[in-house]
Amino acid sequence: MSADAARVFPEVSRVVPGTAGAHPDVSGPVRVLSIAGTDPTGGAGIQADLKSIAANGGFGMAVVTALVAQNTRGVRGVHVPPVTFLREQLDAVSDDVVIDAVKIGMLGDAAVIDTVTRWLDAVKPPLVVLDPVMIATSGDRLLAADAEAALRGLLSRAHLITPNIPELAILAEEPVATTWEDVLAQAERVSERYAVRVLAKGGHLEGETAPDALVDASGSIPGGLRVVEFAGARIRTDNTHGTGCSLSAALATRIAAGGDWLEAIAEVKRWLTESIDHADSLHVGTGHGPISHFAGLWSRGGLTTERTAEEHLDLWWRAIAPIRHRANTLPFVERLGAGTLDRDAFTWYLAQDALYLRDYSRVLAEASRLAPTPEEQAFWAAGANGAIAAELQLHQGWLPEDEVFNTPPAPATIAYVDHLLAAAARGDYAVIIAAVLPCYWLYQDIGSRLVAQSHPAHPYASWLETYADEAFARSTRLAIGFVGEAVRRADPDTRARMFEAFERASAHEVAFFAAPLEARALPGHAE
């Protein structure tokens, strides 16, 4: 008995193909194979198994043992495909996919059971949960009587079996238990006889409670226990079709994922209770309807899909449409494009821009320092260097040196710079790059309209041509991409702060363009 008990309680591990089990593979969801019959109404069989596996965090696969014509009122017919095809299905999966757990449901006849048994012996999955399907919730017999002996032989290949009370009685070769104490005693005898863990289920009993229990006659449950009970309240509903299928598939998934049997059973029981509690809301069929496998996910997670990076920024761009409209209709922008802008206003703007760029470069340097990837670090650092180069070269080409460094900052310049410096001081990379994005995106959007009006005789042609620089266009695309990925990864609170920083910076950008003609000390201030 002790040797068998050691087999009953294996350490569940996941392995990488080709490593002979040397390295655990925890890179994704557990891969769970359901071997069972079908239910065209979707409440039981492999259809229920796949839902249960997904609802409990696994990747479900399925091999069909029998095609069942049934609905919520009962079974009308069963077709068992040739066992040669069954073995082809099994081999097709195991030849290609690492299987972390197997759930076995309806098998139909002795030939099917023998085929599955031989495959298990060849593949040796790390975890096998067997739901010995013999009797459906509707009372229909689902396993041929002459196959019961073959099923008993399969029990020794399982690590856990999950019979309902009538099925437990068949395995024990005893009358159906009518009390919870009798169920536990019967489960312990089955566990001892077949050296297998048994999940005893009290769902078929009368009363206000619906307890379950993990039973192992060898006493190898942690703490040397033979029985661990899990209390549960009974939910009054007729919609329990496929409960056994769903439970066993969920257990295979949770145990394979975590390895802690007691914790997995407790979690699955909570999930199943929630799914039964919402079963009446489905309105599927007129008999014993199915449980609602995804009720918890739907209520807590919702059905809203995640936006892409491009979709997030498209919403941002549309949200600042009023700001962009004001930018495009500013007298300063219109006159700069037409070439009618007063030169004093233009040089005043350049001096303010030079002052702006000095602090702007510091903010880009901080973004580089905080950036999570080498590509982003290099990009923002190059931007910081470019801002300084632009200040020293482009602006000095238009302005005397003393005017660049001695011009007092205007209120619009101070406000814009303060906004960027405040974002940098908070040290949140995502918010910083959202704040500097308008200096790329909105600036290029305005510039694309201005450069279209440039011509050789234009007084500001050399300045307008800077807007057409392909290097700046490429930088703008990269900046948009980095911000888009940051907003996609961010939590809702960070996204809100990112957009606020972006929107405020956009408004500051427009105010910066408006300032030359709004400053009362300059010609044209009354415009």
Side-chain angles (χ1 to χ4, degrees):
M1 184 66 190
S2 59
D4 288 334
R7 184 199 58 77
V8 173
F9 290 87
E11 287 296 325
V12 179
S13 63
R14 304 176 63 190
V15 296
V16 178
T19 62
H23 304 288
D25 174 13
V26 293
S27 59
V30 290
R31 297 145 294 195
V32 183
L33 174 63
S34 166
I35 305 172
T38 66
D39 176 5
T41 63
I46 60 170
Q47 286 89 341
D49 289 349
L50 293 174
K51 294 173 186 175
S52 301
I53 293 165
N56 284 276
F59 177 80
M61 303 170 285
V63 165
V64 177
T65 59
L67 302 171
V68 184
Q70 66 171 312
N71 56 29
T72 62
R73 291 179 292 179
V75 175
R76 298 185 179 184
V78 177
H79 170 69
V80 179
V83 292
T84 54
F85 183 67
L86 170 61
R87 184 58 190 255
E88 287 182 14
Q89 293 183 76
L90 292 167
D91 289 341
V93 176
S94 59
D95 287 349
D96 181 44
V97 181
V98 173
I99 299 170
D100 299 305
V102 172
K103 174 268 166 85
I104 302 174
M106 178 183 177
L107 296 176
D109 61 30
V112 170
I113 296 172
D114 180 66
T115 300
V116 172
T117 301
R118 291 175 182 272
W119 178 80
L120 289 174
D121 289 343
V123 175
K124 294 180 173 57
L127 175 67
V128 177
V129 176
L130 171 63
D131 182 19
V133 178
M134 302 175 185
I135 301 173
T137 303
S138 60
D140 293 291
R141 191 87 175 207
L142 297 178
L143 183 66
D146 62 357
E148 290 179 6
L151 182 64
R152 287 185 170 83
L154 183 59
L155 297 183
S156 64
R157 274 79 173 179
H159 303 103
L160 175 69
I161 63 173
T162 62
N164 59 31
I165 290 177
E167 291 162 347
L168 181 63
I170 293 174
L171 294 177
E173 300 181 270
E174 299 173 4
V176 175
T178 57
T179 68
W180 181 236
E181 290 74 18
D182 290 342
V183 171
L184 293 178
Q186 205 168 72
E188 192 164 352
R189 288 190 288 273
V190 169
S191 174
E192 184 173 14
R193 179 182 302 176
Y194 297 104
V196 66
R197 284 178 171 177
V198 178
L199 186 73
K201 301 182 293 186
H204 281 71
L205 297 175
E206 296 296 326
E208 295 303 314
T209 62
D212 293 325
L214 179 63
V215 178
D216 175 58
S218 72
S220 52
I221 298 174
L225 301 174
R226 298 166 69 93
V227 177
V228 175
E229 295 192 43
F230 300 85
R234 184 173 301 279
I235 300 170
R236 296 297 177 182
T237 178
D238 291 328
N239 297 316
T240 56
H241 180 53
T243 303
C245 305
S246 303
L247 172 67
S248 54
L251 286 171
T253 306
R254 291 279 185 174
I255 294 170
D260 187 320
W261 288 66
L262 300 182
E263 181 180 335
I265 293 170
E267 188 63 35
V268 167
K269 187 168 178 65
R270 285 191 290 270
W271 166 78
L272 188 62
T273 299
E274 182 177 56
S275 300
I276 296 173
D277 193 36
H278 289 81
D280 292 352
S281 66
L282 292 180
H283 307 293
V284 175
T286 57
H288 294 284
I291 66 173
S292 185
H293 297 81
F294 299 108
L297 293 178
W298 291 341
S299 63
R300 288 186 291 277
L303 301 176
T304 303
T305 58
E306 180 56 86
R307 293 187 179 97
T308 65
E310 293 78 10
E311 288 171 332
H312 278 295
L313 290 192
D314 181 64
L315 289 176
W316 284 19
W317 192 246
R318 285 188 280 140
I320 65 165
I323 296 174
R324 292 188 287 116
H325 174 73
R326 180 165 183 259
N328 293 325
T329 56
L330 285 174
F332 176 84
V333 173
E334 291 178 342
R335 295 179 188 182
L336 179 60
T340 59
L341 182 67
D342 183 273
R343 187 175 178 85
D344 287 343
F346 180 64
T347 55
W348 185 88
Y349 162 78
L350 292 183
Q352 295 299 313
D353 197 39
L355 294 172
Y356 165 84
L357 287 172
R358 285 192 293 188
D359 285 320
Y360 173 69
S361 67
R362 296 185 178 98
V363 176
L364 292 180
E366 180 66 3
S368 176
R369 187 182 72 83
L370 297 172
T373 68
E375 293 79 11
E376 290 167 271
Q377 290 172 356
F379 174 78
W380 300 117
N385 179 71
I388 295 297
E391 174 188 331
L392 295 178
Q393 297 175 16
L394 183 61
H395 292 74
Q396 288 185 28
W398 284 86
L399 298 171
E401 184 175 342
D402 60 346
E403 189 170 344
V404 172
F405 293 105
N406 296 325
T407 302
T413 307
I414 294 171
Y416 198 176
V417 166
D418 283 351
H419 172 59
L420 298 183
L421 292 175
R426 295 186 186 100
D428 189 329
Y429 171 73
V431 174
I432 295 172
I433 63 175
V436 301
L437 182 58
C439 196
Y440 287 90
W441 198 0
L442 191 58
Y443 190 84
Q444 187 194 43
D445 184 62
I446 295 170
S448 64
R449 291 170 175 79
L450 293 176
V451 74
Q453 301 177 64
S454 180
H455 53 82
H458 198 294
Y460 306 117
S462 62
W463 179 268
L464 297 185
E465 294 301 324
T466 63
Y467 290 110
D469 181 49
E470 176 53 33
F472 181 67
R474 184 169 58 253
S475 294
T476 299
R477 291 191 296 270
L478 286 171
I480 292 171
F482 289 141
V483 174
E485 282 304 305
V487 73
R488 184 185 64 80
R489 295 190 303 264
D491 58 71
D493 180 65
T494 302
R495 285 176 183 168
R497 288 186 285 111
M498 289 178 71
F499 174 71
E500 180 184 11
F502 171 77
E503 184 180 39
R504 289 182 61 191
S506 297
H508 283 305
E509 185 78 20
V510 175
F512 191 79
F513 274 106
L517 294 186
E518 292 179 351
R520 294 183 179 277
L522 291 172
H525 70 271
E527 295 294 329

